[in-house]
Amino acid sequence: MTQDSYNEETVARAADSGANASARFRERMAAQSAGGVVDTERVNHLASRAVKALNDIVLEEKVSYEEYNAFKAWLIRVGEDGEWPLFLDVWLEHSVEEVANEHREGSKGTIEGPYYLEDSPGVPWNGTIPMREDEPGTPFTFTGQVRAVDGSPLPGAKLELWHADDLGFYSQFAPGLPEWNLRATWTANEDGRFEIHTVRPAPYQIPTDGACGQLIEAAGWHAWRPAHMHFKVHAPGHHKLTAQLYFPGDPHNEDDIASAVKPELMLDPQPNPDGEGEITHYDFVLDPEQ
Ligand code: MBD
Ligand code: FE
């Protein structure tokens, strides 16, 4: 199966995936914020710094009216295409993640990105991810253990996994895919162990036909993220870990557009001696709360 084998109705469009990402984000925020209190001083401080940073750029770089209007038109288009989640998660979230996890122990984490969905279908500790009967891609087995920083296994830990398919598309953000394709939640066994059966994801290109793609092209950048599997790992009494794992040798491990690759997040896939495809092992270590 190639990208060309998608027909007219299943063509992935930036505005569709952007609209979905924006709508999902709004839903999650609405569910979370039960009467949030505004800290006027903090808003004043951060907003003033942001406005000053932009003004400094205009003054120092002597930005013209032509450039200012191009910027304005582009910002309007980011909203129209629903690409604020994509834009922010690609170019800003890595710094937020760095600050958030500065003092957390245990396994390294990285950004969540725009395509996480809560409540994916549950599978047993050694289950197979929901996939199509003819799901393209190399069969991929992923084994490991969830432990606390003191080394004790965490039975019943939850592992949420979501990843793109062999063409680089995420279910519910690209058309023509089953609702929960390549998304599931495993429950670790009594030793904290898990055995995940899926297919290996392909390198991923962020949508090129929307506002973010327009910026990338105008600036002469590229749109690629290395192939990656997203995880959220949690157990009661421990900080939730949001991570992505990567594959050695991917041409974009060194120039990820989202700046989310870390050396600790590399897998080491090998031919699977007991079955088809490849197998890899990775343990997740969680930091106890306080
Ligand atoms: C992705 O799949 C992703 O993981 C991030 C961080 C940004 C855009 C698309
Ligand atoms: Fe992703």
Side-chain angles (χ1 to χ4, degrees), residues 83-96 110-115 204-207 212-213 215-216 221-225 228 230 244 255-261:
E83 284 199 336
W84 281 115
L86 180 66
F87 174 78
L88 291 167
D89 293 351
V90 165
W91 282 292
L92 198 58
E93 192 190 351
H94 65 95
S95 294
V96 180
T110 190
I111 66 175
E112 176 178 307
Y115 301 141
Y204 175 87
Q205 202 175 18
I206 74 163
C212 291
L215 170 63
I216 287 167
W221 301 340
H222 72 77
W224 291 96
R225 297 215 58 220
H228 58 280
H230 292 268
Q244 298 179 34
D255 66 356
D256 177 13
I257 191 181
S259 313
V261 180

Short mmCIF file of all heavy atoms in Angstrom, two decimals, residues 83-96 110-115 204-207 212-213 215-216 221-225 228 230 244 255-261:
data_model
loop_
_atom_site.label_atom_id
_atom_site.label_comp_id
_atom_site.label_asym_id
_atom_site.label_seq_id
_atom_site.Cartn_x
_atom_site.Cartn_y
_atom_site.Cartn_z
N GLU A 83 -4.74 24.62 13.12
CA GLU A 83 -3.39 24.09 13.34
C GLU A 83 -2.67 24.68 14.55
O GLU A 83 -1.47 24.47 14.70
CB GLU A 83 -2.55 24.26 12.07
CG GLU A 83 -2.93 23.22 11.01
CD GLU A 83 -1.87 23.01 9.94
OE1 GLU A 83 -1.05 23.93 9.71
OE2 GLU A 83 -1.86 21.92 9.34
N TRP A 84 -3.40 25.36 15.43
CA TRP A 84 -2.70 25.83 16.64
C TRP A 84 -2.16 24.67 17.47
O TRP A 84 -1.01 24.73 17.92
CB TRP A 84 -3.60 26.76 17.47
CG TRP A 84 -3.63 28.14 16.90
CD1 TRP A 84 -4.69 28.80 16.37
CD2 TRP A 84 -2.51 29.02 16.76
NE1 TRP A 84 -4.31 30.04 15.90
CE2 TRP A 84 -2.97 30.21 16.13
CE3 TRP A 84 -1.15 28.93 17.09
CZ2 TRP A 84 -2.13 31.28 15.84
CZ3 TRP A 84 -0.32 30.00 16.80
CH2 TRP A 84 -0.81 31.16 16.19
N PRO A 85 -2.92 23.57 17.68
CA PRO A 85 -2.32 22.46 18.43
C PRO A 85 -1.05 21.92 17.76
O PRO A 85 -0.04 21.67 18.42
CB PRO A 85 -3.43 21.40 18.45
CG PRO A 85 -4.70 22.18 18.31
CD PRO A 85 -4.35 23.33 17.41
N LEU A 86 -1.12 21.77 16.44
CA LEU A 86 0.05 21.26 15.72
C LEU A 86 1.23 22.22 15.84
O LEU A 86 2.34 21.83 16.22
CB LEU A 86 -0.31 21.05 14.25
CG LEU A 86 0.81 20.51 13.36
CD1 LEU A 86 1.18 19.10 13.75
CD2 LEU A 86 0.39 20.56 11.89
N PHE A 87 0.98 23.49 15.56
CA PHE A 87 2.05 24.48 15.61
C PHE A 87 2.72 24.52 16.99
O PHE A 87 3.93 24.46 17.12
CB PHE A 87 1.50 25.87 15.26
CG PHE A 87 2.52 26.96 15.43
CD1 PHE A 87 3.51 27.17 14.49
CD2 PHE A 87 2.50 27.76 16.57
CE1 PHE A 87 4.47 28.16 14.67
CE2 PHE A 87 3.47 28.75 16.76
CZ PHE A 87 4.45 28.94 15.80
N LEU A 88 1.89 24.59 18.03
CA LEU A 88 2.43 24.72 19.39
C LEU A 88 3.17 23.45 19.82
O LEU A 88 4.24 23.52 20.43
CB LEU A 88 1.31 25.05 20.38
CG LEU A 88 0.71 26.46 20.20
CD1 LEU A 88 -0.58 26.60 20.98
CD2 LEU A 88 1.72 27.53 20.62
N ASP A 89 2.60 22.29 19.50
CA ASP A 89 3.23 21.04 19.95
C ASP A 89 4.53 20.76 19.19
O ASP A 89 5.44 20.13 19.71
CB ASP A 89 2.26 19.86 19.80
CG ASP A 89 1.07 19.97 20.75
OD1 ASP A 89 1.09 20.86 21.63
OD2 ASP A 89 0.13 19.17 20.62
N VAL A 90 4.62 21.24 17.95
CA VAL A 90 5.84 21.02 17.17
C VAL A 90 6.95 21.98 17.60
O VAL A 90 8.10 21.60 17.74
CB VAL A 90 5.55 21.14 15.66
CG1 VAL A 90 6.85 21.27 14.86
CG2 VAL A 90 4.76 19.94 15.16
N TRP A 91 6.58 23.26 17.84
CA TRP A 91 7.65 24.25 18.01
C TRP A 91 7.80 24.79 19.43
O TRP A 91 8.68 25.58 19.71
CB TRP A 91 7.48 25.40 17.01
CG TRP A 91 7.95 25.01 15.64
CD1 TRP A 91 9.25 24.75 15.26
CD2 TRP A 91 7.16 24.79 14.47
NE1 TRP A 91 9.30 24.40 13.93
CE2 TRP A 91 8.03 24.43 13.42
CE3 TRP A 91 5.79 24.90 14.20
CZ2 TRP A 91 7.59 24.15 12.12
CZ3 TRP A 91 5.35 24.62 12.91
CH2 TRP A 91 6.24 24.25 11.88
N LEU A 92 6.91 24.40 20.34
CA LEU A 92 7.01 24.97 21.70
C LEU A 92 6.95 23.92 22.81
O LEU A 92 7.58 24.09 23.86
CB LEU A 92 5.88 25.99 21.90
CG LEU A 92 6.04 26.99 23.04
CD1 LEU A 92 7.31 27.82 22.89
CD2 LEU A 92 4.82 27.92 23.10
N GLU A 93 6.19 22.83 22.58
CA GLU A 93 5.94 21.91 23.70
C GLU A 93 7.23 21.34 24.29
O GLU A 93 7.30 21.08 25.50
CB GLU A 93 4.99 20.76 23.30
CG GLU A 93 4.51 19.99 24.53
CD GLU A 93 3.77 18.69 24.24
OE1 GLU A 93 3.44 18.40 23.07
OE2 GLU A 93 3.54 17.94 25.20
N HIS A 94 8.26 21.15 23.47
CA HIS A 94 9.48 20.53 24.00
C HIS A 94 10.08 21.35 25.15
O HIS A 94 10.62 20.78 26.10
CB HIS A 94 10.50 20.25 22.88
CG HIS A 94 11.04 21.48 22.21
ND1 HIS A 94 12.21 22.07 22.60
CD2 HIS A 94 10.56 22.22 21.18
CE1 HIS A 94 12.44 23.13 21.82
NE2 HIS A 94 11.45 23.24 20.97
N SER A 95 9.95 22.65 25.09
CA SER A 95 10.47 23.47 26.21
C SER A 95 9.58 23.34 27.44
O SER A 95 10.07 23.29 28.58
CB SER A 95 10.56 24.94 25.79
OG SER A 95 11.53 25.09 24.77
N VAL A 96 8.27 23.28 27.22
CA VAL A 96 7.33 23.12 28.35
C VAL A 96 7.61 21.77 29.04
O VAL A 96 7.65 21.68 30.27
CB VAL A 96 5.87 23.20 27.86
CG1 VAL A 96 4.90 23.03 29.03
CG2 VAL A 96 5.61 24.53 27.15
N THR A 110 9.05 12.77 26.97
CA THR A 110 9.14 13.79 25.93
C THR A 110 7.72 14.28 25.63
O THR A 110 6.80 13.97 26.38
CB THR A 110 9.90 13.29 24.69
OG1 THR A 110 10.14 14.39 23.80
CG2 THR A 110 9.13 12.21 23.93
N ILE A 111 7.55 15.04 24.57
CA ILE A 111 6.26 15.71 24.34
C ILE A 111 5.14 14.74 24.00
O ILE A 111 5.37 13.64 23.50
CB ILE A 111 6.38 16.78 23.25
CG1 ILE A 111 6.69 16.17 21.88
CG2 ILE A 111 7.45 17.80 23.61
CD1 ILE A 111 6.69 17.18 20.74
N GLU A 112 3.92 15.18 24.28
CA GLU A 112 2.72 14.39 23.97
C GLU A 112 2.29 14.55 22.51
O GLU A 112 1.85 13.60 21.88
CB GLU A 112 1.58 14.84 24.90
CG GLU A 112 0.25 14.19 24.63
CD GLU A 112 -0.81 14.67 25.63
OE1 GLU A 112 -0.57 14.61 26.85
OE2 GLU A 112 -1.88 15.13 25.18
N GLY A 113 2.42 15.76 21.97
CA GLY A 113 1.99 16.02 20.61
C GLY A 113 0.48 16.16 20.50
O GLY A 113 -0.24 16.04 21.49
N PRO A 114 -0.01 16.42 19.28
CA PRO A 114 -1.42 16.76 19.11
C PRO A 114 -2.38 15.59 18.92
O PRO A 114 -3.58 15.82 18.80
CB PRO A 114 -1.41 17.62 17.83
CG PRO A 114 -0.23 17.15 17.06
CD PRO A 114 0.77 16.64 18.05
N TYR A 115 -1.90 14.34 18.91
CA TYR A 115 -2.76 13.25 18.47
C TYR A 115 -3.11 12.23 19.54
O TYR A 115 -3.56 11.12 19.24
CB TYR A 115 -2.15 12.55 17.24
CG TYR A 115 -1.94 13.49 16.07
CD1 TYR A 115 -0.82 13.41 15.27
CD2 TYR A 115 -2.89 14.47 15.77
CE1 TYR A 115 -0.64 14.26 14.19
CE2 TYR A 115 -2.71 15.35 14.71
CZ TYR A 115 -1.57 15.23 13.92
OH TYR A 115 -1.40 16.09 12.87
N TYR A 204 7.20 10.13 9.97
CA TYR A 204 5.96 10.90 9.93
C TYR A 204 6.24 12.31 9.42
O TYR A 204 7.17 12.97 9.89
CB TYR A 204 5.38 10.96 11.35
CG TYR A 204 4.16 11.83 11.45
CD1 TYR A 204 2.91 11.32 11.18
CD2 TYR A 204 4.29 13.17 11.78
CE1 TYR A 204 1.79 12.12 11.24
CE2 TYR A 204 3.18 13.98 11.84
CZ TYR A 204 1.94 13.45 11.57
OH TYR A 204 0.84 14.26 11.62
N GLN A 205 5.43 12.74 8.48
CA GLN A 205 5.54 14.09 7.97
C GLN A 205 4.33 14.87 8.46
O GLN A 205 3.20 14.41 8.25
CB GLN A 205 5.53 14.04 6.44
CG GLN A 205 6.14 15.24 5.80
CD GLN A 205 6.23 15.10 4.28
OE1 GLN A 205 5.57 14.26 3.69
NE2 GLN A 205 7.04 15.92 3.67
N ILE A 206 4.52 16.00 9.10
CA ILE A 206 3.36 16.77 9.53
C ILE A 206 2.64 17.28 8.28
O ILE A 206 3.25 17.39 7.21
CB ILE A 206 3.71 17.92 10.51
CG1 ILE A 206 4.39 19.09 9.79
CG2 ILE A 206 4.56 17.43 11.68
CD1 ILE A 206 4.37 20.37 10.60
N PRO A 207 1.32 17.57 8.36
CA PRO A 207 0.58 17.98 7.16
C PRO A 207 1.30 19.13 6.45
O PRO A 207 1.70 20.10 7.09
CB PRO A 207 -0.77 18.43 7.72
CG PRO A 207 -0.91 17.71 9.02
CD PRO A 207 0.48 17.55 9.56
N CYS A 212 1.01 25.34 8.75
CA CYS A 212 2.34 24.92 9.21
C CYS A 212 3.20 24.51 8.02
O CYS A 212 4.39 24.85 7.96
CB CYS A 212 2.23 23.78 10.22
SG CYS A 212 1.50 24.30 11.79
N GLY A 213 2.58 23.83 7.05
CA GLY A 213 3.30 23.44 5.84
C GLY A 213 3.74 24.66 5.04
O GLY A 213 4.83 24.70 4.47
N LEU A 215 4.47 27.60 6.26
CA LEU A 215 5.64 28.17 6.95
C LEU A 215 6.90 27.36 6.63
O LEU A 215 7.96 27.93 6.32
CB LEU A 215 5.39 28.18 8.47
CG LEU A 215 6.60 28.51 9.34
CD1 LEU A 215 7.12 29.92 9.06
CD2 LEU A 215 6.27 28.35 10.82
N ILE A 216 6.78 26.03 6.71
CA ILE A 216 7.92 25.15 6.46
C ILE A 216 8.49 25.39 5.07
O ILE A 216 9.70 25.53 4.88
CB ILE A 216 7.51 23.68 6.66
CG1 ILE A 216 7.33 23.40 8.16
CG2 ILE A 216 8.52 22.73 6.04
CD1 ILE A 216 6.62 22.09 8.45
N TRP A 221 12.40 24.79 5.45
CA TRP A 221 12.60 23.72 6.43
C TRP A 221 12.05 22.42 5.87
O TRP A 221 11.63 22.36 4.72
CB TRP A 221 11.88 24.06 7.75
CG TRP A 221 12.32 25.34 8.41
CD1 TRP A 221 13.50 26.02 8.18
CD2 TRP A 221 11.57 26.12 9.36
NE1 TRP A 221 13.52 27.16 8.95
CE2 TRP A 221 12.37 27.24 9.68
CE3 TRP A 221 10.33 25.97 9.98
CZ2 TRP A 221 11.94 28.21 10.59
CZ3 TRP A 221 9.91 26.94 10.90
CH2 TRP A 221 10.71 28.04 11.20
N HIS A 222 12.06 21.35 6.69
CA HIS A 222 11.41 20.11 6.27
C HIS A 222 10.34 19.76 7.29
O HIS A 222 10.32 20.32 8.40
CB HIS A 222 12.44 18.97 6.15
CG HIS A 222 12.93 18.49 7.48
ND1 HIS A 222 12.18 17.68 8.31
CD2 HIS A 222 14.08 18.75 8.15
CE1 HIS A 222 12.86 17.45 9.42
NE2 HIS A 222 14.01 18.10 9.36
N ALA A 223 9.45 18.82 6.93
CA ALA A 223 8.26 18.56 7.75
C ALA A 223 8.35 17.24 8.52
O ALA A 223 7.35 16.80 9.09
CB ALA A 223 7.02 18.54 6.85
N TRP A 224 9.53 16.64 8.61
CA TRP A 224 9.62 15.28 9.11
C TRP A 224 9.85 15.14 10.60
O TRP A 224 10.60 15.90 11.20
CB TRP A 224 10.74 14.52 8.40
CG TRP A 224 10.42 14.25 6.98
CD1 TRP A 224 10.82 15.01 5.89
CD2 TRP A 224 9.61 13.19 6.47
NE1 TRP A 224 10.30 14.47 4.75
CE2 TRP A 224 9.56 13.36 5.06
CE3 TRP A 224 8.92 12.12 7.06
CZ2 TRP A 224 8.84 12.49 4.24
CZ3 TRP A 224 8.22 11.26 6.23
CH2 TRP A 224 8.18 11.45 4.83
N ARG A 225 9.18 14.14 11.16
CA ARG A 225 9.52 13.61 12.47
C ARG A 225 10.03 12.19 12.23
O ARG A 225 9.52 11.50 11.35
CB ARG A 225 8.27 13.51 13.37
CG ARG A 225 7.60 14.85 13.69
CD ARG A 225 7.06 14.81 15.11
NE ARG A 225 8.15 14.53 16.01
CZ ARG A 225 8.08 13.73 17.06
NH1 ARG A 225 6.96 13.12 17.37
NH2 ARG A 225 9.14 13.53 17.81
N HIS A 228 8.07 7.01 15.37
CA HIS A 228 8.00 7.02 16.83
C HIS A 228 6.74 6.35 17.32
O HIS A 228 5.73 6.30 16.62
CB HIS A 228 8.07 8.46 17.37
CG HIS A 228 6.98 9.34 16.82
ND1 HIS A 228 7.04 9.92 15.57
CD2 HIS A 228 5.79 9.74 17.36
CE1 HIS A 228 5.94 10.63 15.35
NE2 HIS A 228 5.15 10.54 16.42
N HIS A 230 4.18 6.59 20.64
CA HIS A 230 3.85 7.42 21.81
C HIS A 230 3.37 6.53 22.95
O HIS A 230 2.55 5.63 22.73
CB HIS A 230 2.69 8.36 21.50
CG HIS A 230 2.98 9.43 20.52
ND1 HIS A 230 3.41 10.68 20.90
CD2 HIS A 230 2.87 9.48 19.17
CE1 HIS A 230 3.54 11.44 19.83
NE2 HIS A 230 3.23 10.74 18.77
N GLN A 244 7.99 9.14 24.06
CA GLN A 244 7.96 8.60 22.70
C GLN A 244 9.23 7.79 22.56
O GLN A 244 10.27 8.16 23.11
CB GLN A 244 8.00 9.71 21.64
CG GLN A 244 6.82 10.65 21.67
CD GLN A 244 6.95 11.73 20.59
OE1 GLN A 244 7.46 11.50 19.50
NE2 GLN A 244 6.46 12.92 20.90
N ASP A 255 17.26 15.52 13.24
CA ASP A 255 16.67 16.81 12.88
C ASP A 255 15.14 16.77 12.96
O ASP A 255 14.44 17.31 12.10
CB ASP A 255 17.15 17.27 11.49
CG ASP A 255 16.66 16.36 10.37
OD1 ASP A 255 16.02 15.33 10.67
OD2 ASP A 255 16.89 16.69 9.21
N ASP A 256 14.64 16.13 14.01
CA ASP A 256 13.20 16.09 14.29
C ASP A 256 12.63 17.50 14.29
O ASP A 256 13.11 18.37 15.02
CB ASP A 256 13.01 15.44 15.68
CG ASP A 256 11.55 15.41 16.11
OD1 ASP A 256 10.66 15.65 15.28
OD2 ASP A 256 11.33 15.13 17.31
N ILE A 257 11.60 17.72 13.50
CA ILE A 257 11.01 19.06 13.44
C ILE A 257 10.43 19.47 14.80
O ILE A 257 10.33 20.66 15.10
CB ILE A 257 9.93 19.13 12.33
CG1 ILE A 257 9.54 20.59 12.11
CG2 ILE A 257 8.74 18.27 12.64
CD1 ILE A 257 8.48 20.77 11.08
N ALA A 258 10.06 18.47 15.63
CA ALA A 258 9.45 18.78 16.93
C ALA A 258 10.47 18.78 18.08
O ALA A 258 10.08 18.92 19.25
CB ALA A 258 8.32 17.80 17.23
N SER A 259 11.77 18.58 17.77
CA SER A 259 12.83 18.62 18.79
C SER A 259 12.53 17.72 19.99
O SER A 259 12.77 18.10 21.14
CB SER A 259 13.06 20.05 19.29
OG SER A 259 13.15 20.96 18.23
N ALA A 260 12.00 16.51 19.74
CA ALA A 260 11.52 15.67 20.85
C ALA A 260 12.32 14.39 21.02
O ALA A 260 11.96 13.55 21.85
CB ALA A 260 10.04 15.33 20.61
N VAL A 261 13.43 14.22 20.28
CA VAL A 261 14.23 13.00 20.38
C VAL A 261 15.28 13.17 21.48
O VAL A 261 15.88 14.23 21.61
CB VAL A 261 14.93 12.69 19.04
CG1 VAL A 261 15.77 11.42 19.15
CG2 VAL A 261 13.91 12.55 17.92
#
